[in-house]
Amino acid sequence: MDSELGPSSPCQSADTWEPGIDKYLYAMRLSDETLKDIMTRFKQEMKNGLSRDFNPTAIVKMLPTFVRSIPDGSEKGDFIALDLGGSSFRILRVQVNHEKNQNVHMESEVYDTPENIMHGSGSQGILITWTKRFKASGVEGADVVKLLHKAIKKRGDYDANIVAMVNDTVGTMMTCGYDDQQCEVGLIIGTGTNACYMEELRHIDLVEGDEGRMCINTEWGAFGDDGSLEDIRTEFDREIDRGSLNPGKQLFEKMVSGMYMGELVRLILVKMAKEGLLFEGRITPELLTRGKFNTSDVSAIEKNKEGLHNAKEILTRLGVEPSDDDCVSVQHVCTIVSFRSANLVAATLGAILNRLRDNKGTPRLRTTVGVDGSLYKTHPQYSRRFHKTLRRLVPDSDVRFLLSESGSGKGAAMVTAVAYRLAEQHRQIEETLAHFRLTKEMLLEVKRRMRVEMEMGLRKQTHDKAVVKMLPSFVRSTPDGTEHGDFLALDLGGTNFRVLLVKIRSGKKRTVEMHNKIYAIPIEIMQGTGEELFDHIVSCISDFLDYMGIKGPRMPLGFTFSFPCEQKSLDAGILITWTKGFKATDCVGQDVATLLRDAVKRREEFDLDVVAVVNDTVGTMMTCAYEEPTCEVGLIVGTGSNACYMEEMKNVEMVEGTEGQMCINMEWGAFGDNGSLDDIRTTYDKLVDEFSLNAGKQRYEKMISGMYLGEIVRNILIDFTKKGFLFRGQISEPLKTRGIFETKFLSQIESDRLALLQVRAILQQLGLNSTCDDSILVKTVCGVVSRRAAQLCGAGMAAVVDKIRENRGLDRLSVTVGVDGTLYKLHPHFSRIMHQTVKELSPKCNVSFLLSEDGSGKGAALITAVGVRLRGETSS
């Protein structure tokens, strides 16, 4: 029957009745071009409704529903739902079980809404305007939830907690979402019409926050109320509007919904009869009476087999004595009116689907639309025509339509169940993450404790039992610009190490020219014998000297050794303990310069003059000091973390002499190893420590440095997954793998420029299949962990700069900190939060931070140069 009634095909059966009938109806036939145009208009209306600037004047209101998630299957509980939305209302008791076969048990009772009440007096829902013939006074602009609360209180014989106020369209989406998690659109085509869908929060200006999604109730019935559909509205649409309770409002709804469809057909029949095109011009009182021709009649007349028979019965009831030709004509009119409705709804839904596709950035959209409404459900041709038009308008979408069973009631209970689940989850998540949130008082306390530990490390009688070792570096001055010569530098501090040739030139134009080569240290050598480790290092130095063509003269070398060392002089460092995954035997307690010299002798190929053993933190400070003389502090926040600063010699009791200054390598990573941070360490910190290579050691470092933050996050995620807050409660293999969550992923996930889609992509690389909500939670966890790291690091730094200020008896200190390390450099928020913390905790210090360009290499060469210079001064 549709073939000749496609939207733009000419009417082939026109010869069965008077020519000219079609002049009423051609305006109702919409070509695909027109429908695409309507789609574009509606897309723009949606945009206006979402935007802060245009929303106040927008016609399509795009109301945020505060429903942020569709059901995930773990909802459970006993809920009462009240469903008001037409001439009757229902009260339902809904029990949701969270077992294998998610079952929903419902009992309901239907009550009629008496006419005098429909027109009588009447989670926050403010009723904007009544539609569907409701007109109770004192309700528009009022909070419906409060009115219901008030009414419950007034009765006084029961109490109910109103958790969620749900729009019926949203209820439909939620009901279908319980059965199909792909469902992200709700559609109603019944007495009224409306649609809702899951929008990205970042596009919803009216709601704070930009993470995740929220269901938007479009209230699309009002589309066209500003005149934007005038070109397709017909005289019959205008007549219907004039006679309605709300003239000028809900114009789109009046063109498509079931409430008005029978009426539209009746008006067309009256007009045609008046012109003698139908019923031989007979017009009866029944035909002229509003409400005598219903949408159910339209459905009956359009039935394939008995449609014409039904037409005859219905028209006879109206007293117009129809001929067979009249019945065919009336069937034709019904078809055109209902087909137009299906086409228009396909266009507006098409706009929503296009928007979803754009939001996801995918070439093809796969989604499910939950549908409810009598017109869609009971009209014999409606759904098929509607789907067909939609496929033509949005060919790049695969849409599944799911009929909502008892949508709005079950849906309201679903929304409530989801709200309960989310509220409960939110409470538990907050409770867990609260342990990571540090107040200013707590941070000041950390600063105070760090200061106590620093004093202990500097004093002779407490040094042995101090955990923050405060090691003298024998670097007594920062560079003065007269350093000159060619130096080798060796930089060992992680899984890679570098050999460098550094040419330092003094004079008017000071220059530093560097050449370097990077070599790997295989894990079996990191954890083998000390001899193997140093032989490997020397063979790499040999390769470098050949590569640079400088094997021959004995060259001064600075050895950056980024592990805790006790120095007795500039050129000797005794390894106190391995960190960062190293475990080579026969090294702890030995002088690393000697171990290096011995390995050079064993090779018998070249000779080296080991002038300085340098800690990388000290190297960082020296590099920055070469550019900026006020730099007297070094800080590293990368794989590990450490700091150094220029201390007055009179306070350095471990070294003879009281004149001048010396750089102290704090080895602050061990802060807390005596239990002094136990009150702020969480169960997750303890887990990470327990499974690390050096359990019980470097506890402060494990709370702030890159090597461990990912592990803390991973442990929290496992816990949240076990509790069912993440990844649908499924702990995947990758999530069980230690070290999978590298710190670079933290930096990427927390980047402000990344949309949640990219966060999902990163999680997918890690083999974690995440939903939108999962991605938000993962991002939150990363943020909380890295924020705490930056604050703790800032508290330590505040202790250092305040000590320098007090050493010098100053009211205000201006000082520069040379910084290096991947976490500091690459993480999007770490440096900012750390700087702010230092400022808050040490208000009397003006602290500037300078990024070190290659501290450990260039710094080692500068220290070697300073050492050679000082050596020359003392010997002359």
Side-chain angles (χ1 to χ4, degrees):
M1 183 171 114
D2 291 347
S3 56
E4 74 271 15
L5 285 171
S8 53
S9 59
C11 182
Q12 290 154 359
S13 52
D15 53 9
T16 55
W17 64 77
E18 306 294 318
I21 277 190
D22 230 25
K23 72 175 184 191
Y24 295 117
L25 304 180
Y26 78 87
M28 289 203 171
R29 298 167 179 273
L30 304 172
S31 67
D32 279 4
E33 208 169 308
T34 306
L35 292 174
K36 282 183 179 147
D37 183 40
I38 290 167
M39 214 157 105
T40 310
R41 292 184 220 176
F42 187 66
K43 211 169 168 187
Q44 187 54 48
E45 294 289 351
M46 287 165 71
K47 224 169 153 176
N48 293 350
L50 289 171
S51 117
R52 182 173 286 116
D53 303 336
F54 294 110
N55 177 276
T57 56
I59 289 301
V60 176
K61 278 296 175 211
M62 302 298 281
L63 304 171
T65 62
F66 299 90
V67 171
R68 294 165 191 267
S69 158
I70 56 173
D72 71 351
S74 69
E75 289 73 21
K76 52 179 181 289
D78 207 337
F79 305 95
I80 300 274
L82 169 70
D83 175 13
L84 168 67
S87 47
S88 62
F89 67 95
R90 287 188 305 162
I91 294 179
L92 306 90
R93 177 176 177 209
V94 186
Q95 286 163 303
V96 186
N97 291 340
H98 159 48
E99 299 310 331
K100 280 284 174 286
N101 51 350
Q102 313 175 349
N103 80 26
V104 178
H105 174 70
M106 305 196 342
E107 304 156 31
S108 75
E109 204 55 67
V110 177
Y111 301 89
D112 282 335
T113 316
E115 274 288 320
N116 61 341
I117 291 187
M118 271 168 78
H119 298 260
S121 66
S123 13
Q124 185 179 15
I126 306 251
L127 181 66
I128 297 176
T129 168
W130 284 117
T131 56
K132 290 184 275 201
R133 300 212 307 268
F134 269 80
K135 271 236 157 142
S137 57
V139 179
E140 291 194 13
D143 178 340
V144 182
V145 173
K146 282 201 184 117
L147 292 172
L148 183 56
H149 257 310
K150 211 163 125 187
I152 289 175
K153 274 222 175 68
K154 205 155 101 187
R155 273 193 68 103
D157 54 2
Y158 71 100
D159 190 28
N161 179 14
I162 304 179
V163 176
M165 145 123 186
V166 189
N167 172 285
D168 56 347
T169 320
V170 181
T172 296
M173 180 187 81
M174 294 299 272
T175 305
C176 295
Y178 190 68
D179 301 320
D180 178 347
Q181 310 229 310
Q182 297 269 310
C183 182
E184 38 190 1
V185 183
L187 172 66
I188 287 191
I189 318 171
T191 319
T193 178
N194 194 9
C196 67
Y197 71 102
M198 296 300 285
E199 175 61 86
E200 303 291 319
L201 206 48
R202 63 175 189 275
H203 295 149
I204 309 174
D205 290 356
L206 302 176
V207 179
E208 282 303 301
D210 51 7
E211 297 297 346
R213 307 199 301 168
M214 181 181 285
C215 177
I216 286 288
N217 162 19
T218 63
E219 289 293 344
W220 76 10
F223 178 32
D225 288 6
D226 56 353
S228 59
L229 293 177
E230 284 316 296
D231 53 335
I232 62 162
R233 286 176 74 229
T234 64
E235 53 179 302
F236 307 109
D237 295 306
R238 295 195 176 91
E239 196 172 332
I240 281 234
D241 180 46
R242 280 197 299 275
S244 68
L245 281 171
N246 52 351
K249 300 262 191 300
Q250 303 292 104
L251 297 183
F252 178 72
E253 181 169 84
K254 285 170 186 165
M255 293 169 80
V256 303
S257 82
M259 175 143 176
Y260 305 99
M261 189 171 284
E263 204 40 30
L264 266 174
V265 171
R266 187 186 68 80
L267 291 175
I268 295 171
L269 299 186
V270 167
K271 172 101 180 188
M272 289 172 71
K274 278 185 176 161
E275 302 210 355
L277 297 172
L278 275 179
F279 319 132
E280 297 172 350
R282 271 187 297 282
I283 295 176
T284 62
E286 286 84 357
L287 185 59
L288 291 174
T289 308
R290 179 192 300 169
K292 280 288 186 194
F293 193 97
N294 293 314
T295 303
S296 53
D297 298 332
V298 177
S299 296
I301 290 172
E302 285 192 67
K303 283 197 171 143
N304 272 338
K305 294 209 169 62
E306 64 269 36
L308 290 172
H309 170 71
N310 293 342
K312 198 153 202 101
E313 266 187 12
I314 291 162
L315 293 170
T316 304
R317 200 178 66 214
L318 294 175
V320 292
E321 301 166 30
S323 66
D324 288 353
D325 279 356
D326 285 340
C327 292
V328 171
S329 299
V330 170
Q331 189 179 55
H332 191 69
V333 171
C334 289
T335 300
I336 284 185
V337 171
S338 65
F339 210 134
R340 179 183 71 157
S341 166
N343 282 338
L344 285 171
V345 176
T348 44
L349 181 64
I352 290 179
L353 296 175
N354 275 344
R355 187 163 174 94
L356 276 175
R357 197 193 64 218
D358 294 349
N359 283 349
K360 293 184 185 195
T362 50
R364 269 199 96 70
L365 173 73
R366 297 188 74 101
T367 191
T368 298
V369 176
V371 207
D372 201 351
S374 49
L375 189 57
Y376 182 92
K377 284 182 168 172
T378 59
H379 187 289
Q381 322 287 341
Y382 196 95
S383 59
R384 187 174 50 81
R385 293 174 186 158
F386 165 60
H387 297 170
K388 207 165 157 186
T389 304
L390 187 71
R391 274 199 297 276
R392 282 202 316 277
L393 295 179
V394 280
D396 40 17
S397 296
D398 301 319
V399 186
R400 174 176 179 225
F401 286 91
L402 194 57
L403 261 184
S404 149
E405 295 308 322
S406 62
S408 33
K410 179 169 157 188
M414 270 301 146
V415 175
T416 308
V418 170
Y420 251 80
R421 167 175 64 91
L422 292 178
E424 183 52 26
Q425 272 189 21
H426 185 70
R427 192 188 60 72
Q428 289 185 32
I429 287 165
E430 274 311 300
E431 208 171 279
T432 300
L433 297 181
H435 299 296
F436 287 87
R437 303 190 201 275
L438 303 177
T439 61
K440 185 174 178 183
E441 290 64 43
M442 290 157 96
L443 290 167
L444 279 166
E445 182 56 26
V446 172
K447 172 188 170 184
R448 192 192 62 75
R449 292 179 202 174
M450 174 69 90
R451 178 63 182 270
V452 170
E453 300 292 340
M454 287 167 73
E455 303 287 357
M456 284 180 73
L458 287 169
R459 294 223 172 90
K460 210 170 200 148
Q461 76 230 51
T462 49
H463 177 83
D464 285 346
K465 65 173 206 273
V467 286
V468 178
K469 281 296 177 202
M470 304 296 285
L471 305 170
S473 68
F474 294 87
V475 170
R476 294 167 188 272
S477 94
T478 49
D480 66 359
T482 63
E483 293 75 22
H484 194 92
D486 292 1
F487 305 91
L488 278 176
L490 183 60
D491 173 15
L492 173 67
T495 45
N496 293 331
F497 79 103
R498 294 185 307 155
V499 187
L500 305 94
L501 170 66
V502 184
K503 299 181 172 188
I504 302 176
R505 301 292 176 257
S506 61
K508 272 217 181 84
K509 275 195 75 175
R510 297 187 306 172
T511 60
V512 179
E513 184 190 319
M514 302 201 300
H515 305 271
N516 73 65
K517 206 168 173 192
I518 295 179
Y519 300 90
I521 302 180
I523 192 139
E524 60 273 14
I525 288 182
M526 275 167 76
Q527 301 182 1
T529 69
E531 267 197 12
E532 288 169 343
L533 176 62
F534 280 91
D535 285 347
H536 175 69
I537 289 169
V538 170
S539 79
C540 295
I541 295 175
S542 165
D543 171 81
F544 180 75
L545 295 175
D546 287 338
Y547 169 73
M548 293 302 296
I550 49 172
K551 201 176 264 181
R554 179 170 187 251
M555 290 182 73
L557 175 131
F559 185 7
T560 297
F561 189 71
S562 314
F563 300 93
C565 270
E566 185 156 353
Q567 289 189 241
K568 297 292 180 213
S569 63
L570 186 61
D571 64 353
I574 292 158
L575 176 63
I576 297 174
T577 170
W578 282 120
T579 55
K580 290 181 274 197
F582 276 75
K583 267 201 169 165
T585 55
D586 311 322
C587 295
V588 174
Q590 302 294 312
D591 169 21
V592 293
T594 306
L595 293 175
L596 182 63
R597 289 185 194 109
D598 291 350
V600 171
K601 284 198 190 97
R602 280 199 296 278
R603 198 173 172 95
E604 295 183 330
E605 234 186 71
F606 53 89
D607 198 10
L608 291 175
D609 173 15
V610 183
V611 176
V613 173
V614 182
N615 175 277
D616 57 344
T617 317
V618 181
T620 295
M621 180 190 81
M622 291 297 272
T623 308
C624 290
Y626 191 63
E627 310 292 337
E628 171 51 71
T630 62
C631 177
E632 300 184 74
V633 185
L635 168 68
I636 287 192
V637 202
T639 317
S641 178
N642 193 11
C644 68
Y645 70 102
M646 297 302 287
E647 178 57 273
E648 307 303 312
M649 272 300 291
K650 62 177 189 288
N651 296 334
V652 187
E653 294 181 11
M654 302 301 293
V655 179
E656 291 300 307
T658 54
E659 288 306 305
Q661 299 176 316
M662 181 178 286
C663 180
I664 293 292
N665 162 22
M666 293 175 64
E667 288 299 339
W668 82 0
F671 176 34
D673 289 4
N674 53 1
S676 61
L677 292 175
D678 283 3
D679 54 340
I680 62 168
R681 287 174 75 228
T682 65
T683 45
Y684 307 104
D685 294 305
K686 289 169 190 155
L687 269 172
V688 169
D689 180 36
E690 222 172 284
F691 287 103
S692 63
L693 283 167
N694 52 350
K697 301 248 192 314
Q698 302 291 101
R699 288 177 175 177
Y700 181 59
E701 175 172 85
K702 284 172 186 164
M703 293 167 87
I704 62 180
S705 81
M707 182 155 177
Y708 305 100
L709 294 189
E711 268 305 278
I712 298 174
V713 167
R714 187 181 69 84
N715 278 292
I716 298 174
L717 298 186
I718 284 183
D719 191 27
F720 282 179
T721 308
K722 278 183 186 156
K723 290 179 176 160
F725 306 158
L726 268 178
F727 309 131
R728 300 185 181 80
Q730 308 290 311
I731 297 182
S732 60
E733 278 311 311
L735 200 52
K736 294 182 195 156
T737 315
R738 279 212 295 281
I740 173 136
F741 232 97
E742 295 170 47
T743 305
K744 70 169 187 208
F745 289 130
L746 255 77
S747 296
Q748 289 171 353
I749 285 171
E750 283 192 68
S751 161
D752 292 331
R753 291 194 303 280
L754 275 201
L756 285 177
L757 282 174
Q758 286 144 302
V759 175
R760 283 171 81 172
I762 294 167
L763 292 172
Q764 254 146 10
Q765 277 173 17
L766 297 175
L768 302 172
N769 207 344
S770 76
T771 63
C772 228
D773 292 331
D774 291 341
S775 307
I776 297 172
L777 185 48
V778 170
K779 192 166 178 173
T780 305
V781 170
C782 291
V784 167
V785 170
S786 62
R787 182 179 188 83
R788 181 188 69 159
Q791 288 177 323
L792 285 173
C793 182
M797 189 41 68
V800 174
V801 293
D802 259 332
K803 179 153 187 6
I804 296 175
R805 183 180 64 79
E806 288 169 29
N807 281 345
R808 302 185 187 168
L810 298 171
D811 279 341
R812 282 206 83 76
L813 167 75
S814 287
V815 68
T816 299
V817 179
V819 202
D820 201 355
T822 45
L823 186 62
Y824 181 91
K825 283 182 170 169
L826 302 179
H827 190 281
H829 310 300
F830 189 95
S831 56
R832 177 178 52 78
I833 294 167
M834 190 197 87
H835 299 168
Q836 195 183 341
T837 307
V838 175
K839 199 172 178 170
E840 279 176 19
L841 303 185
S842 297
K844 294 181 176 174
C845 301
N846 293 337
V847 186
S848 316
F849 291 86
L850 187 61
L851 264 182
S852 144
E853 292 311 318
D854 186 44
S856 35
K858 188 166 156 185
L862 283 164
I863 292 171
T864 306
V866 172
V868 170
R869 188 189 88 211
L870 295 178
R871 208 195 262 172
E873 284 171 15
T874 48
S875 61
S876 54

